[in-house]
Amino acid sequence: MKRGLINVEFLHIIPFILFWLYYSGIPHLLWGYSDGESDRIRQIVLGLAYLVALFCHVFNPLVIKNLLYIKAYLLVVFYAILSILWAYAINQVFINAVHHIGLVLTLNCAVYFLLKRPEVNVFKWFFVFSLIVMMLSVFLSVLVPHVGHHVSQRWSGVYAHPNTLGLFSFFAFWSASFYFVMIPDVKVRLLCVVLALLAFVNLFFANSVTSIISCIILLLFIQFFNVKELSLSLREGYFLFAGMIFALFFTIVLVALIFPGLDVASTFFSVSGRDENLTGRTYLWILAFELIEKKFLLGWGFDSLRYFNHVNLINYNQFHNGYLDIMVKGGVVGICVFLGFVCFFLKKLYQFRGIKPVYYKAFIAFFFVVAIVNITESSFLRIGHFFWFFISFIYFYVSIILIKGPRL
């Protein structure tokens, strides 16, 4: 660096790139998906990302100043780390704390770099990443089935599980949809259509019902608001999620009244190819409520459900409901802190609409889809989960740019 051979500013984006490499599935594909290998890959790739990000903070005081603009996020992280005082597995809380801090340093460096590069279109990065993953997954699933197929014969592509492929297929469809609107070039839009088709092919053969539902919800967002004219007030944003849940509940009740002899739940799950207990989810939810009753105020600690697994002699890292997950780990205090963060998140997004309108539309659509899907999955505050990584990036990106000015 003293000789000028290394661009110091470019170092700030290296941790972010390493995260995307990790989420591409390629490191796991090369070295294996077993628990031991996955831990080793995570330690090598993300550990390197954390070290570079820490280096950038130590030698660049300007990066540290940006941490002042993400206080709501830091409060959530602080509470998760504070649970080390009452958690069952203290060592696991400590490990999670390292990942939380590493993620904060990584995203802070990335946004600093983007502020220095106003010409960069991050959606182009998302688009290229998605295109590579979708093409490689189709290639492996079709031509190398012993690698690209799960034991259930569903497609898994570059990932270990079909549901993970479904998750990234949803992200690919999301990035293709909004990059299509953002770039008027005919060739780029044609590639966006290709990416959307690849995403649906992967979704179909992965048979990831949750991700398929996510894409349907996203399509409803785009169709209902008209992606070119979306103008959502802050108050409307707060009530949108509640309104969609009410509409879903009202539809189910209406069908039950019109067809009194129809078992709505059985019919729905039969059509979707799932059982009535949501593939064991309802059983986990009952156990989660029992744990919440025992430690209602502070929860059991953010130790990746180590106490739950120890008592029940099983190995789960989530309750397949992100809100119950937070309640179990953080209690009523934890869920209140998290909901406070969500309110700040929506406020920042609403303020961001005048700076980058299409980014605002894309980000708010992504957040609401994840918030709805989080009822049957768990992504919020889960270390290593791509959705939490990306939502965290959105919050950093929007919050810091609002303070620094519309330079992007």
Side-chain angles (χ1 to χ4, degrees):
M1 287 188 297
K2 288 182 179 179
R3 295 178 180 179
L5 298 177
I6 297 177
N7 187 327
V8 179
E9 286 188 356
F10 182 73
L11 280 178
H12 291 77
I13 200 62
I14 293 296
F16 190 68
I17 293 173
L18 286 171
F19 260 90
W20 284 96
L21 174 65
Y22 175 78
Y23 287 123
S24 71
I26 295 174
H28 297 83
L29 185 68
L30 295 175
W31 289 294
Y33 284 102
S34 64
D35 291 338
E37 290 298 327
S38 293
D39 287 341
R40 192 172 293 111
I41 292 166
R42 181 166 55 249
Q43 291 164 8
I44 294 173
V45 180
L46 299 189
L48 179 59
Y50 300 159
L51 287 173
V52 176
L54 179 61
F55 174 87
C56 292
H57 279 75
V58 170
F59 291 95
N60 188 353
L62 294 176
V63 183
I64 300 176
K65 291 182 179 179
N66 289 344
L67 294 174
L68 298 173
Y69 312 133
I70 51 152
K71 292 187 285 289
Y73 185 92
L74 293 178
L75 180 61
V76 176
V77 171
F78 174 75
Y79 184 77
I81 297 174
L82 187 65
S83 69
I84 199 171
L85 299 176
W86 62 84
Y88 170 79
I90 296 176
N91 62 325
Q92 188 61 44
V93 179
F94 177 77
I95 293 172
N96 289 342
V98 172
H99 286 292
H100 276 301
I101 295 171
L103 180 60
V104 168
L105 297 178
T106 296
L107 296 179
N108 195 35
C109 284
V111 175
Y112 172 84
F113 176 84
L114 293 173
L115 281 169
K116 293 289 185 178
R117 297 288 189 277
E119 73 279 1
V120 172
N121 185 336
V122 291
F123 264 86
K124 184 177 181 179
W125 295 2
F126 306 153
F127 174 81
V128 172
F129 164 80
S130 300
L131 188 61
I132 292 172
V133 170
M134 291 297 100
M135 291 177 64
L136 189 56
S137 292
V138 170
F139 173 80
L140 290 175
S141 299
V142 173
L143 300 179
V144 196
H146 70 278
V147 175
H149 284 196
H150 189 250
V151 291
S152 62
Q153 299 307 310
R154 295 159 61 192
W155 281 18
S156 56
V158 294
Y159 300 104
H161 198 278
N163 290 343
T164 309
L165 176 60
L167 180 153
F168 283 96
S169 298
F170 160 73
F171 180 81
F173 177 68
W174 172 83
S175 61
S177 301
F178 287 96
Y179 197 55
F180 181 92
V181 175
M182 194 177 299
I183 306 298
D185 185 81
V186 176
K187 293 180 180 178
V188 173
R189 288 190 165 184
L190 181 60
L191 281 175
C192 288
V193 173
V194 171
L195 176 57
L197 292 174
L198 287 172
F200 273 110
V201 168
N202 280 305
L203 273 175
F204 179 80
F205 288 103
N207 192 23
S208 177
V209 174
T210 302
S211 297
I212 292 173
I213 293 174
S214 301
C215 287
I216 294 173
I217 296 173
L218 179 61
L219 283 171
L220 291 175
F221 266 101
I222 295 173
Q223 181 65 30
F224 183 75
F225 291 108
N226 186 350
V227 76
K228 293 184 179 180
E229 303 295 335
L230 175 60
S231 179
L232 195 67
S233 71
L234 183 60
R235 180 173 296 181
E236 289 170 339
Y238 285 142
F239 286 105
L240 178 60
F241 177 62
M244 293 186 68
I245 297 298
F246 174 78
L248 177 63
F249 175 77
F250 178 79
T251 302
I252 294 173
V253 172
L254 185 64
V255 171
L257 291 174
I258 296 175
F259 305 100
L262 179 66
D263 188 340
V264 178
S266 298
T267 304
F268 172 78
F269 294 121
S270 175
V271 171
S272 63
R274 292 294 185 267
D275 52 69
E276 293 183 42
N277 66 358
L278 292 173
T279 323
R281 285 172 170 80
T282 54
Y283 169 72
L284 286 175
W285 294 349
I286 292 172
L287 294 177
F289 280 115
E290 292 176 357
L291 288 174
I292 292 170
E293 289 178 2
K294 292 178 181 178
K295 286 194 174 183
F296 179 73
L297 188 61
L298 297 177
W300 294 88
F302 290 81
D303 61 357
S304 301
L305 304 182
R306 287 295 189 269
Y307 175 81
F308 173 76
N309 292 328
H310 171 73
V311 171
N312 293 279
L313 300 177
I314 53 181
N315 186 25
Y316 284 97
N317 59 3
Q318 61 158 311
F319 282 105
H320 282 284
N321 183 303
Y323 308 105
L324 283 180
D325 254 13
I326 296 175
M327 280 285 285
V328 170
K329 296 173 182 176
V332 67
V333 175
I335 196 68
C336 287
V337 170
F338 176 74
L339 291 177
F341 161 73
V342 170
C343 290
F344 273 98
F345 187 97
L346 293 174
K347 180 181 178 181
K348 298 289 186 183
L349 278 177
Y350 179 66
Q351 294 171 343
F352 191 68
R353 73 194 188 284
I355 298 177
K356 279 280 188 178
V358 180
Y359 280 45
Y360 159 72
K361 301 165 190 175
F363 289 160
I364 201 168
F366 185 89
F367 175 78
F368 274 115
V369 172
V370 173
I372 294 171
V373 173
N374 209 50
I375 297 172
T376 59
E377 296 297 332
S378 181
S379 54
F380 291 138
L381 268 178
R382 276 190 65 201
I383 294 301
H385 196 289
F386 175 74
F387 278 176
W388 177 244
F389 164 80
F390 194 68
I391 285 175
S392 300
F393 167 74
I394 293 173
Y395 184 78
F396 278 58
Y397 185 86
V398 170
S399 300
I400 295 174
I401 289 173
L402 283 173
I403 301 297
K404 296 290 186 178
R407 296 179 59 185
L408 292 184

